[in-house]
Amino acid sequence: AQTVTQSQPEMSVQEAETVTLSCTYDTSESNYYLFWYKQPPSRQMILVIRQEAYKQQNATENRFSVNFQKAAKSFSLKISDSQLGDTAMYFCAFMRHTGTASKLTFGTGTRLQVTL
Amino acid sequence: EAGVAQSPRYKIIEKRQSVAFWCNPISGHATLYWYQQILGQGPKLLIQFQNNGVVDDSQLPKDRFSAERLKGVDSTLKIQPAKLEDSAVYLCASSLDPFPTDTQYFGPGTRLTVL
């Protein structure tokens, strides 16, 4: 079974600064996908970024980028130029795709607070 | 484009009662998911539908939970009878297809409190 660990329950960053959220996972699979989801206080989960394990290049989406270390099974999220709207719970998630089943396994989340 | 709709947003029941949640996915999305999110935890997949067929229900407590998606569009998740440990937010998500490159879009969730 796959497990996802987020060791930082809470983090705080000042507006315009950079913050990195950590995530490690455990799997015996070689082909899988990793995700970061954002859950603002309104509770609607939103996909932030996706990484295919077979791609060595780290994914980027505007101010969001990842540091994917496959051998270390590490998948951290870097948020640059933090904005107040980035305040949310951030979940790291793992997906193993088997035929028609695409099961997301989530970590316990990191609560990020962006302050003035 | 309208998002995933869920109702009710909140529900309070007593243990041993039954409850049902409704989800309307994004139009055209063939894949529908129900997740359970207990306070302080990440969401856990309960069941995945592809059109009106069940693809994965390995983590659904089938003695008390049931779900259906009869016409391949709307879905209903039922709990009967409810236990205290069922208190959680129940999230519905949908995607165009069940592939990792198809983004899962989540609804606002239903917060269930079992007293």
Side-chain angles (χ1 to χ4, degrees):
Chain A
Q2 289 75 30
T3 58
V4 178
T5 302
Q6 294 180 250
S7 58
Q8 305 154 315
E10 294 185 5
M11 293 194 72
S12 181
V13 64
Q14 286 193 321
E15 200 177 20
E17 296 296 307
T18 296
V19 65
T20 298
L21 309 183
S22 301
C23 172
T24 58
Y25 59 94
D26 187 25
T27 183
S28 57
E29 303 287 332
S30 58
N31 187 21
Y32 52 88
Y33 293 74
L34 296 164
F35 304 80
W36 279 97
Y37 276 86
K38 170 184 176 180
Q39 190 175 40
S42 65
R43 295 208 308 271
Q44 205 135 356
M45 299 266 286
I46 305 166
L47 176 65
V48 175
I49 201 163
R50 172 182 16 233
Q51 174 80 43
E52 295 91 333
Y54 64 87
K55 286 188 177 179
Q56 292 189 345
Q57 186 174 7
N58 289 324
T60 62
E61 287 288 342
N62 301 313
R63 297 182 296 107
F64 299 88
S65 61
V66 298
N67 183 5
F68 174 47
Q69 301 290 327
K70 190 171 184 179
K73 296 181 181 175
S74 170
F75 183 62
S76 60
L77 175 70
K78 185 172 83 171
I79 306 175
S80 304
D81 186 27
S82 297
Q83 301 175 0
L84 295 177
D86 295 334
T87 293
M89 281 291 289
Y90 285 83
F91 291 96
C92 178
F94 173 101
M95 178 185 284
R96 178 176 68 98
H97 180 62
T98 57
T100 55
S102 301
K103 178 179 174 180
L104 275 170
T105 300
F106 287 88
T108 52
T110 296
R111 184 178 303 279
L112 178 67
Q113 181 72 46
V114 181
T115 60
L116 291 171
Chain B
E1 172 180 87
V4 176
Q6 290 188 248
S7 68
R9 293 295 305 275
Y10 304 91
K11 189 75 177 178
I12 300 174
I13 62 173
E14 295 192 348
K15 61 183 179 183
R16 291 187 290 273
Q17 286 187 325
S18 60
V19 64
F21 312 127
W22 174 82
C23 172
N24 182 239
I26 293 173
S27 178
H29 281 194
T31 313
L32 186 146
Y33 312 80
W34 282 103
Y35 291 87
Q36 179 192 59
Q37 186 177 16
I38 293 172
L39 187 65
Q41 299 180 18
K44 181 183 81 171
L45 180 69
L46 292 177
I47 189 167
Q48 176 187 342
F49 290 94
Q50 182 64 22
N51 296 308
N52 61 351
V54 175
V55 173
D56 183 354
D57 62 357
S58 57
Q59 297 191 108
L60 186 74
K62 299 180 187 63
D63 57 332
R64 298 184 300 105
F65 286 65
S66 64
E68 60 184 14
R69 194 185 183 200
L70 292 176
K71 296 183 179 178
V73 182
D74 293 8
S75 177
T76 303
L77 177 69
K78 296 179 181 178
I79 307 175
Q80 182 180 7
K83 291 185 175 181
L84 296 177
E85 58 261 36
D86 298 332
S87 292
V89 176
Y90 290 85
L91 297 169
C92 180
S94 70
S95 62
L96 198 61
D97 282 303
F99 304 114
T101 49
D102 292 307
T103 300
Q104 291 189 26
Y105 294 89
F106 285 79
T110 296
R111 182 181 296 279
L112 173 67
T113 301
V114 183
L115 302 174

